[in-house]
Amino acid sequence: MPIDKSWICKPRNTIEYANGLNVFLDIAFQHANGPVIKCPCAKCGFKKWQTRDVVQEHLTCTAFPQNYKTWYLHGEGSSVIESMVATSAHVIEDLLESQNPMEDMLNDAFGFAGHDEDTEADDLQTNMVGDEGKTNFDELMRDNNEPLYEGCTKYSKLSFMLKLYHIKCMSRMSDKAMTMILELLKDAFEHAKFPNSFYEAKTVITKLGLNYVKIPACPKDCMLYWGEDNEGLEECKRCKTSKWKNKDKKQYAKILRYFPLKPRLQRLFMSSKTIESMTWHASKDNQDGLMRHPRDSEAWKSFDLLHPEFANDPRNVRLGLAADGFNPYGNMSTNHSIWPVVLIPYNRPPWQCMKQTSFILSMIIPGKQMVGNDIDVYLEPLISELKDL
Ligand SMILES: [Zn+2]
Ligand SMILES: [Zn+2]
């Protein structure tokens, strides 16, 4: 039943206003997680947490904000908030249920159903990730079953290395620092099974399968040395610039780093943590007409009408593409700059798809100048992969 909100526009000394305010407070505190809510008065501006008495006083002395019609910050039937609470509870449950998160992660990553000897599942498995994937999986599993040192129950060889690598990435530690730390650890704890070098750690991590390919490109952005026709060429078809910076050392003049999309999408559907969110866009219809997600837009809806076959299966992936140049060395006077191209999976709910961790890095284009329209050249592998899908 819709809540009567006509009182918001009434003078503050009327009985309607006082009653209405009480209804608002009832709803807000029913949904609050404690004795305080964010006060909507002009002074607190939805930022300060106040008790019921204080909020009531503030909203009697100053007006209730007139355009706050859906009380979504105060628990009013917003599907977004409800499903948000449901999702976080789900994630916690997942964590509690899982006895060995590392094993689960490997199973998710390689799409393994279990540890049984079921040959049918095994075949399916091999079909999905290929023989190479299966060997990698076996090797990683072995590392995972090997304790870091004798008697260690907390860390396996693999989980320790992943934790360390995670710290390296989060704190932007240099490769050199990582190598030095590994050397120190190895020196201090002789019996522990640390990786021998940073290089070895990296090889193990690449086995998890999120690799990139290097594709040589014309330094003037005319073409990629990619695909059957162009792969073997030595100079650009259009401007005749050489493919090489230094042919003897096998250095290319310009390299595009391309991150294949398919394994990344597979990963999204394989992981128990993300598969549910991949059909979110079709699950709850937005009734209030507010724009919260691209699926609420006219463009999205008319696309569905034009391509009913695609729209019928909510698992079909909708991606947004964004590119921006940034200077990795922080100093704008140096002329190193790279252009990352990022894909955003719009299947997922708004509070997930715009998170940095959901972004799919598609490629890194090096270059001093903005590529502008020449970006088409670089998007070629991505477009071909999308067509394939
Ligand atoms: Zn206030
Ligand atoms: Zn060229």
Side-chain angles (χ1 to χ4, degrees):
M1 196 183 74
I3 307 158
D4 176 26
K5 285 170 190 161
S6 55
W7 60 273
I8 295 175
C9 312
K10 297 243 163 75
R12 295 197 304 280
N13 54 7
T14 57
I15 192 89
E16 286 97 334
Y17 186 90
N19 286 343
L21 183 56
N22 266 322
V23 172
F24 166 77
L25 291 168
D26 284 344
I27 294 175
F29 279 94
Q30 261 166 36
H31 291 86
N33 286 325
V36 285
I37 59 165
K38 282 182 173 166
C39 179
C41 86
K43 223 172 142 200
C44 304
F46 296 95
K47 286 193 185 106
K48 287 196 182 142
W49 295 86
Q50 309 285 15
T51 60
R52 181 167 181 141
D53 286 348
V54 176
V55 178
Q56 188 161 30
E57 195 192 309
H58 284 186
L59 291 174
T60 315
C61 300
T62 59
F64 192 91
Q66 303 248 326
N67 20 8
Y68 186 43
K69 292 271 163 61
T70 313
W71 302 332
Y72 54 88
L73 286 174
H74 297 94
E76 189 183 345
S78 148
S79 61
V80 176
I81 289 173
E82 273 162 28
S83 40
M84 223 151 141
V85 173
T87 321
S88 56
H90 186 77
V91 170
I92 293 165
E93 263 166 40
D94 247 26
L95 284 174
L96 287 177
E97 260 173 36
S98 131
Q99 296 293 321
N100 188 344
M102 200 57 65
E103 194 163 319
D104 286 357
M105 190 266 287
L106 286 179
N107 282 332
D108 279 346
F110 290 87
F112 235 40
H115 240 345
D116 47 37
E117 297 287 306
D118 194 333
T119 45
E120 206 177 317
D122 238 34
D123 284 351
L124 196 76
Q125 164 69 28
T126 315
N127 284 340
M128 259 172 113
V129 295
D131 283 335
E132 194 193 344
K134 191 132 178 14
T135 349
N136 283 345
F137 177 83
D138 291 341
E139 274 171 33
L140 286 166
M141 262 306 180
R142 207 175 46 227
D143 278 353
N144 187 39
N145 289 327
E146 199 172 340
L148 184 63
Y149 51 87
E150 237 181 71
C152 174
T153 48
K154 211 164 177 190
Y155 290 103
S156 69
K157 197 178 158 189
L158 179 68
S159 73
F160 181 83
M161 194 168 58
L162 287 181
K163 280 246 154 83
L164 195 65
Y165 193 75
H166 187 224
I167 294 172
K168 175 198 173 335
C169 297
M170 297 302 282
S171 60
R172 298 177 198 166
M173 196 194 289
S174 68
D175 292 3
K176 197 176 166 201
M178 178 88 170
T179 310
M180 284 158 84
I181 288 174
L182 276 175
E183 276 166 10
L184 176 69
L185 283 172
K186 271 195 92 65
D187 195 39
F189 306 97
E190 282 172 13
H191 300 292
K193 292 177 182 102
F194 299 118
N196 285 315
S197 61
F198 172 60
Y199 177 77
E200 194 190 299
K202 231 173 138 181
T203 339
V204 175
I205 285 154
T206 42
K207 278 185 205 147
L208 283 169
L210 297 176
N211 253 330
Y212 63 83
V213 287
K214 286 182 183 174
I215 303 173
C218 167
K220 290 179 184 158
D221 304 325
C222 316
M223 61 170 275
L224 291 178
Y225 296 92
W226 179 81
E228 264 175 48
D229 297 337
N230 299 338
E231 222 164 355
L233 295 179
E234 290 291 312
E235 59 178 27
C236 174
K237 272 201 273 193
R238 220 190 323 162
C239 69
K240 305 288 174 212
T241 313
S242 166
K243 177 184 181 178
W244 304 97
K245 187 172 156 197
N246 186 331
K247 199 173 173 187
D248 300 327
K249 287 187 187 165
K250 296 257 173 230
Q251 282 177 336
Y252 294 120
K254 191 171 188 176
I255 299 172
L256 167 76
R257 285 174 172 81
Y258 179 69
F259 299 76
L261 178 64
K262 271 185 225 165
R264 282 170 175 77
L265 290 181
Q266 275 174 346
R267 187 85 16 126
L268 279 176
F269 283 105
M270 277 175 184
S271 167
S272 50
K273 304 262 186 302
T274 45
I275 183 157
E276 233 167 285
S277 69
M278 288 303 284
T279 52
W280 177 89
H281 69 100
S283 63
K284 282 203 179 108
D285 222 15
N286 177 5
Q287 301 295 351
D288 57 18
L290 291 178
M291 181 86 173
R292 293 209 182 85
H293 187 273
R295 63 143 191 195
D296 303 334
S297 68
E298 289 302 315
W300 185 289
K301 284 168 191 159
S302 55
F303 178 90
D304 279 358
L305 288 177
L306 280 173
H307 306 278
E309 236 173 274
F310 181 89
N312 260 340
D313 190 341
R315 285 171 303 176
N316 283 327
V317 186
R318 295 149 194 254
L319 295 166
L321 188 142
D324 196 2
F326 76 91
N327 189 313
Y329 301 100
N331 181 352
M332 293 316 281
S333 63
T334 60
N335 30 6
H336 289 284
S337 116
I338 56 174
W339 294 83
V341 175
V342 173
L343 298 170
I344 303 152
Y346 280 134
N347 286 43
R348 308 182 69 184
W351 59 91
Q352 287 181 0
C353 71
M354 293 314 286
K355 259 200 190 156
Q356 204 191 338
T357 47
S358 311
F359 291 172
I360 303 171
L361 182 64
S362 177
M363 63 189 83
I364 296 177
I365 309 169
K368 290 171 193 166
Q369 280 112 38
M370 199 183 117
V371 275
N373 281 337
D374 295 330
I375 197 168
D376 297 359
V377 173
Y378 293 102
L379 293 182
E380 211 181 306
L382 175 64
I383 304 290
S384 122
E385 218 179 351
L386 285 174
K387 274 187 189 158
D388 219 28
L389 289 168

